[in-house]
C-alpha cells in the first residue's frame, strides 16, 4: 500500500514539474509549437515540390511565401470589412455614453455613490498614460518577436525534418524503431488532418453564416460570418463569442427582436450541421477528443499559455492521444481522452454518407 501511494505521489510530482516547465518556458515553446504544427500542414506540399526535383531550400521558401500570403489575405479581408464599421464610430460612442449614464444612475440609486465620487474612484484607479503606452509597446514587441521566431522555426523545421526524424528514431531501441516511425507518421498525419479539416470547416462556416446572416438582414453580414468562422479555432467558446458579438452589434444598430432571434436561430442551425455532419466527415475520429477533456485542455492551455494555449490545446492533445495509443503503459490515458466508442448501428449512417461522397476515414 505504501509503495503504491509513493508511486502515485511520484507521478503527480513529475506531472507538476512538467506543467511548471511548460509554463515557465512558454516564450520558447509557444512559437516552436505553432511553427511545428504549421510545418506539418505544409509538409505534403513541400514533399510534392521536392518530388518534382525542386531543391529543398527553394521548396521551403515557397512554403513560407504561401503561408505569408495566406496570413496577408486573412488580415486584408478582416481589415477591409472592419474599416466599414469605422463610419459607425459615432453611433458606438453615443451608445457607450448612454450605457455609462445608465450605470452611473444605477450606482447612485442603489449604492448611494454620487457621480463626482464615481469619477474620483475611476481617476484613482486609472493607470497613467505612460504605463499604458509602455504595456502596449511591450505587447507589440513581444508579438512581433514571437511571430518572427515562429517563421524561423517553420522554415528550419521543414528543412531539417528528415534529420530530426532520424534523430528521434536513433534514440529508440532497435526493436521499437519501426513502431516509433509509425508513431511519428501518425502524429504528423493527425496534425495535418486537424489543420486541413479545420480550414475546410472554417470555409464552410463562412458560407453558412454568410448566407444565414444575409438572409435575415444583418448589417455587415460577411464580416460577422468571417469572425464567427475564424473563432471556431477555439471550440465551444469561439462560436458563442462570435454570435454574441453579432447580436450585440446588431442591437446597437437598432436591430429589432426578430433580427436578434434570427441570429440565434442561424447560430443553432449552423452548429447542428457542424456538429452532426461536418465534424464527423471532415475531422474524423482520429482527432476527436471527448467533451470533458476538450474543456480541460482549453482551460489548461489558457492557464499555461493564454490565448495561444487555447488555440494549440486541441491539436497538441490530439497528438498526445496518438502517442498514448501506441505506448502500452499509456494506452488507458489515450482511451480516457478519446471519444466513447459507438456501436455499429450508431455509426452506420455516417459510414454510408462517407461512401456516398467517397470520403476516406
Amino acid at each position: 500500500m505504501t509503495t503504491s501511494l509513493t508511486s502515485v505521489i511520484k507521478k503527480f510530482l513529475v506531472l507538476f514539474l512538467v506543467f511548471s516547465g511548460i509554463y515557465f518556458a512558454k516564450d520558447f515553446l509557444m512559437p516552436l509549437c505553432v511553427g511545428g504544427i504549421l510545418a506539418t500542414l505544409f509538409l505534403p506540399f513541400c514533399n510534392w515540390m521536392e518530388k518534382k526535383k525542386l531543391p529543398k531550400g527553394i521548396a521551403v521558401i515557397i512554403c513560407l511565401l504561401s503561408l505569408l500570403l495566406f496570413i496577408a489575405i486573412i488580415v486584408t479581408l478582416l481589415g477591409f470589412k472592419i474599416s466599414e464599421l469605422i463610419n459607425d464610430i459615432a453611433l458606438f460612442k453615443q451608445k457607450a455614453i448612454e450605457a455609462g449614464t445608465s450605470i452611473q444612475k444605477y450606482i447612485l440609486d442603489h449604492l448611494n455613490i454620487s457621480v463626482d465620487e464615481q469619477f474620483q474612484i475611476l481617476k484613482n484607479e486609472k493607470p497613467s498614460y505612460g504605463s499604458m503606452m509602455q504595456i502596449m509597446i511591450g505587447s507589440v514587441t513581444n508579438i512581433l518577436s514571437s511571430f518572427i521566431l515562429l517563421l524561423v522555426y517553420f522554415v528550419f523545421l521543414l528543412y531539417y525534418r528528415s534529420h530530426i526524424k532520424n534523430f528521434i528514431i536513433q534514440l529508440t531501441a532497435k526493436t521499437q524503431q519501426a513502431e516509433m516511425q509509425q508513431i511519428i507518421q501518425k502524429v504528423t498525419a493527425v496534425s495535418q488532418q486537424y489543420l486541413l479539416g479545420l480550414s475546410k470547416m472554417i470555409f464552410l462556416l463562412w458560407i453558412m453564416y454568410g448566407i444565414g446572416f444575409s438572409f435575415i438582414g444583418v448589417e455587415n453580414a460577411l464580416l460577422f460570418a468571417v469572425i464567427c468562422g475564424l473563432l471556431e479555432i477555439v471550440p465551444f467558446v469561439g462560436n458563442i463569442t462570435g454570435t454574441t458579438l453579432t447580436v450585440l452589434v446588431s442591437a446597437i444598430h437598432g436591430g429589432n427582436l426578430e433580427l436578434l432571434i434570427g441570429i440565434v436561430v442561424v447560430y443553432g442551425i449552423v452548429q447542428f450541421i457542424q456538429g452532426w455532419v461536418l465534424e464527423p466527415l471532415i475531422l474524423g475520429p482520429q482527432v476527436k477528443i471527448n467533451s470533458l477533456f476538450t474543456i480541460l485542455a482549453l482551460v489548461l492551455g489558457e492557464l499555461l499559455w493564454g490565448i495561444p494555449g487555447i488555440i494549440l490545446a486541441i491539436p497538441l492533445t490530439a497528438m498526445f492521444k496518438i502517442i498514448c495509443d501506441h505506448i502500452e503503459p499509456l494506452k488507458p490515458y489515450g482511451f480516457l481522452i478519446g471519444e466513447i466508442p459507438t456501436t455499429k448501428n450508431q455509426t452506420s449512417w455516417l459510414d454510408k454518407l462517407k461512401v456516398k461522397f467517397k470520403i476516406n476515414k
Side-chain angles (χ1 to χ4, degrees), residues 6-108:
T6 304
S7 176
V8 171
I9 293 174
K10 287 181 178 179
K11 289 179 180 178
F12 275 109
L13 180 60
V14 170
L15 196 64
F16 174 77
L17 292 175
V18 167
F19 283 115
S20 298
I22 292 173
Y23 174 77
F24 288 108
K26 59 184 178 180
D27 291 336
F28 165 71
L29 291 177
M30 272 194 296
L32 180 61
C33 288
V34 176
I37 291 175
L38 289 176
T40 61
L41 178 62
F42 282 83
L43 189 56
F45 181 46
C46 192
N47 287 333
W48 177 81
M49 287 188 289
E50 290 179 22
K51 288 179 181 178
K52 298 296 181 180
K53 308 301 181 182
L54 202 65
K56 180 185 286 189
I58 296 177
V60 170
I61 294 300
I62 292 175
C63 290
L64 175 63
L65 294 177
S66 301
L67 174 63
L68 292 175
L69 178 62
F70 175 77
I71 295 174
I73 290 173
I74 296 297
V75 172
T76 302
L77 179 61
L78 284 176
F80 174 73
K81 298 305 296 181
I82 290 174
S83 65
E84 296 181 4
L85 295 177
I86 295 178
N87 297 329
D88 299 327
I89 194 69
L91 176 62
F92 287 121
K93 289 174 66 175
Q94 179 184 350
K95 294 294 182 180
I97 292 172
E98 292 176 359
T101 304
S102 300
I103 293 172
Q104 287 178 348
K105 187 176 183 304
Y106 179 88
I107 294 175
L108 176 61

Side-chain angles (χ1 to χ4, degrees), residues 45-342:
F45 181 46
C46 192
N47 287 333
W48 177 81
M49 287 188 289
E50 290 179 22
K51 288 179 181 178
K52 298 296 181 180
K53 308 301 181 182
L54 202 65
K56 180 185 286 189
I58 296 177
V60 170
I61 294 300
I62 292 175
C63 290
L64 175 63
L65 294 177
S66 301
L67 174 63
L68 292 175
L69 178 62
F70 175 77
I71 295 174
I73 290 173
I74 296 297
V75 172
T76 302
L77 179 61
L78 284 176
F80 174 73
K81 298 305 296 181
I82 290 174
S83 65
E84 296 181 4
L85 295 177
I86 295 178
N87 297 329
D88 299 327
I89 194 69
L91 176 62
F92 287 121
K93 289 174 66 175
Q94 179 184 350
K95 294 294 182 180
I97 292 172
E98 292 176 359
T101 304
S102 300
I103 293 172
Q104 287 178 348
K105 187 176 183 304
Y106 179 88
I107 294 175
L108 176 61
D109 294 339
H110 292 80
L111 300 178
N112 199 27
I113 300 176
S114 67
V115 175
D116 291 336
E117 290 173 335
Q118 293 176 37
F119 275 118
Q120 187 62 37
I121 293 173
L122 290 175
K123 183 178 179 181
N124 293 335
E125 295 294 331
K126 187 170 68 173
S128 65
Y129 290 108
S131 62
M132 289 177 63
M133 288 297 296
Q134 187 176 2
I135 293 172
M136 288 178 62
I137 293 173
S139 299
V140 171
T141 304
N142 185 48
I143 291 172
L144 288 176
S145 60
S146 297
F147 181 70
I148 293 172
L149 273 176
L150 184 156
L151 297 179
V152 171
Y153 290 141
F154 173 83
V155 169
F156 286 110
L157 286 173
L158 266 181
Y159 189 82
Y160 290 107
R161 62 187 184 275
S162 299
H163 190 68
I164 296 172
K165 177 183 175 181
N166 291 332
F167 165 73
I168 296 174
I169 292 175
Q170 288 179 20
L171 287 177
T172 312
K174 290 186 177 181
T175 55
Q176 298 177 335
Q177 286 184 353
E179 186 176 3
M180 175 57 70
Q181 189 163 0
Q182 187 180 14
I183 292 174
I184 294 173
Q185 290 174 350
K186 287 197 173 184
V187 167
T188 304
V190 163
S191 178
Q192 293 170 3
Q193 184 182 7
Y194 177 79
L195 291 175
L196 287 173
L198 187 61
S199 301
K200 295 175 184 177
M201 181 101 63
I202 289 173
F203 180 74
L204 293 173
L205 288 175
W206 286 350
I207 295 174
M208 291 189 292
Y209 276 122
I211 293 173
F213 290 160
S214 299
F215 180 77
I216 63 177
V218 176
E219 291 188 32
N220 296 297
L222 180 58
L223 170 65
F224 293 113
V226 171
I227 291 174
C228 289
L230 286 176
L231 288 174
E232 184 59 32
I233 294 174
V234 183
F236 301 125
V237 179
N239 43 38
I240 296 176
T241 303
T243 304
T244 303
L245 179 63
T246 307
V247 170
L248 290 176
V249 175
S250 299
I252 290 175
H253 278 86
N256 55 33
L257 184 60
E258 292 181 358
L259 177 63
L260 303 184
I261 294 176
I263 294 172
V264 177
V265 170
V266 169
Y267 165 76
I269 294 173
V270 171
Q271 288 304 302
F272 178 81
I273 296 173
Q274 176 190 344
W276 290 92
V277 179
L278 297 182
E279 283 188 359
L281 290 177
I282 296 176
L283 291 181
Q286 293 171 332
V287 293
K288 291 293 288 182
I289 304 165
N290 66 58
S291 299
L292 172 62
F293 277 87
T294 298
I295 295 295
L296 291 177
L298 293 173
V299 172
L300 190 59
E302 195 280 331
L303 289 174
L304 292 175
W305 289 356
I307 294 177
I310 295 176
I311 297 172
L312 291 169
I314 302 305
L316 290 180
T317 305
M319 292 178 187
F320 177 70
K321 179 183 179 299
I322 293 295
I323 294 173
C324 291
D325 289 341
H326 286 80
I327 298 177
E328 194 63 37
L330 299 179
K331 282 186 177 180
Y333 299 101
F335 173 81
L336 180 64
I337 295 172
E339 286 280 15
I340 299 174
T342 53

